[in-house]
């Protein structure tokens, strides 16, 4: 998928994936923890591939056994 055809997610959709409040997603974007783009109307949108990569990375970290 090219950048022009990549699916863009709303803060609510991202929040559902991470099981957090949409305001949390907005705070993450403001802090630079997750990249976002703005629509011509000023709304935030998130690239699906970036969101899924971050979710996968965090899920992997959470499920790896603790090494002593």
């Amino acid at each position: 998928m090219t950048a022009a055809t990549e699916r863009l997610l709303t803060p609510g959709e991202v929040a559902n994936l991470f099981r957090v409040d949409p305001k949390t997603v907005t705070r993450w974007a403001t802090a630079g923890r997750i990249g976002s783009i703005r629509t011509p109307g000023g709304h935030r949108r998130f690239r699906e591939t970036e969101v899924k990569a971050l979710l996968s990375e965090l899920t992997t970290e959470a499920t790896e056994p603790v090494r002593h």
Side-chain angles (χ1 to χ4, degrees), residues 2-35:
T2 65
T5 60
E6 181 170 8
R7 183 158 178 259
L8 298 176
L9 304 176
T10 65
E13 291 171 318
V14 176
N16 285 337
L17 289 170
F18 284 91
R19 296 187 175 127
V20 297
D21 190 270
K23 293 274 187 200
T24 300
V25 175
T26 301
R27 282 194 296 272
W28 290 346
T30 301
R33 295 175 133 193
I34 186 170

Side-chain angles (χ1 to χ4, degrees), residues 25-60:
V25 175
T26 301
R27 282 194 296 272
W28 290 346
T30 301
R33 295 175 133 193
I34 186 170
S36 68
I37 60 172
R38 295 281 187 154
T39 66
H43 300 279
R44 285 190 195 272
R45 293 296 180 263
F46 302 87
R47 288 179 182 85
E48 185 176 34
T49 55
E50 184 178 340
V51 170
K52 296 226 171 168
L54 179 60
L55 184 61
S56 175
E57 180 182 315
L58 294 174
T59 303
T60 301

